[in-house]
Amino acid sequence: MTRTPKTYDDLYAEAKGLIDIEVPLFTNLANLTALIKLRCQWFWVGFYEVINNELVLSAFQGPPACVKISYGKGVCGKSWELKESIIVDNVNEFEGHIACNEASKAEIVIPVFDKAQRVKFIFDIDHTNYGEFKLQDEVGLKKCLTLIEELL
Ligand code: SME
């Protein structure tokens, strides 16, 4: 699928329609991962939650994954440490990449912040093609994630 800014406008609109402020946060996280997986056909879409001093697997869609990731470790842990998104074209070239599934070749990870600008979640998407993720994906996905940040 070719992803354009319009793709993300549509995704954002659909995601906004799914968010329900009256249900537990996990329900909204789960529905958002389901929507993104369905629309974009990515291999793995999910959240890791910052709990105490590590990332713990939260809502996701895709094959089973690693349940805990330490601060600074792997792409997710590095994104948490840097408080920045990371796009990896080839996971084999990212030092310390944690291979939950060998089918994963490229990934994008985006931190999700609470109102005090603390990282609460790391949003992680994996794909089976090298070089899958571009800046437009980061921009579009970050906008969708503001829907979660508004709940934190
Ligand atoms: N690739 C991640 C681990 C999580 S899985 O991809 C679901 C990493 O290196 O942080």
Side-chain angles (χ1 to χ4, degrees):
M1 150 190 171
T2 306
R3 297 184 300 277
T4 65
K6 174 154 188 337
T7 308
Y8 283 107
D9 286 347
D10 291 347
L11 190 65
Y12 176 81
E14 216 174 344
K16 196 172 165 67
L18 279 180
I19 298 292
D20 184 335
I21 59 168
E22 292 178 358
V23 299
L25 179 63
F26 187 89
T27 308
N28 287 307
L29 296 176
N31 245 357
L32 186 60
T33 60
L35 174 71
I36 294 175
K37 179 94 165 60
L38 179 72
R39 293 287 176 249
C40 301
Q41 301 289 305
W42 284 315
F43 178 68
W44 196 91
V45 179
F47 289 91
Y48 280 89
E49 182 172 2
V50 175
I51 299 180
N52 299 323
N53 220 17
E54 57 192 357
L55 295 172
V56 179
L57 185 62
S58 182
F60 72 97
Q61 293 273 315
C66 321
V67 294
K68 290 181 183 174
I69 297 175
S70 301
Y71 184 76
K73 300 294 179 196
V75 187
C76 292
K78 185 54 79 177
S79 171
W80 178 20
E81 182 185 338
L82 299 175
K83 298 187 172 183
E84 284 173 7
S85 305
I86 302 177
I87 291 175
V88 180
D89 288 336
N90 179 347
V91 296
N92 302 313
E93 291 172 357
F94 189 96
E95 200 184 326
H97 169 255
I98 300 164
C100 296
N101 191 302
E102 63 182 29
S104 172
K105 302 290 189 248
E107 65 180 276
I108 181 169
V109 302
I110 301 175
V112 179
F113 297 93
D114 67 9
K115 303 240 172 354
Q117 289 305 303
R118 286 177 302 230
V119 177
K120 295 300 283 184
F121 295 95
I122 295 292
F123 183 61
D124 180 358
I125 302 178
D126 295 359
H127 199 278
T128 52
N129 294 346
Y130 294 111
E132 176 70 13
F133 299 105
K134 307 292 177 205
L135 185 61
Q136 73 185 40
D137 298 302
E138 181 182 334
V139 172
L141 290 164
K142 267 186 178 167
K143 188 172 174 198
C144 292
L145 291 168
T146 62
L147 295 166
I148 298 300
E149 289 176 325
E150 285 165 10
L151 303 173
L152 301 178

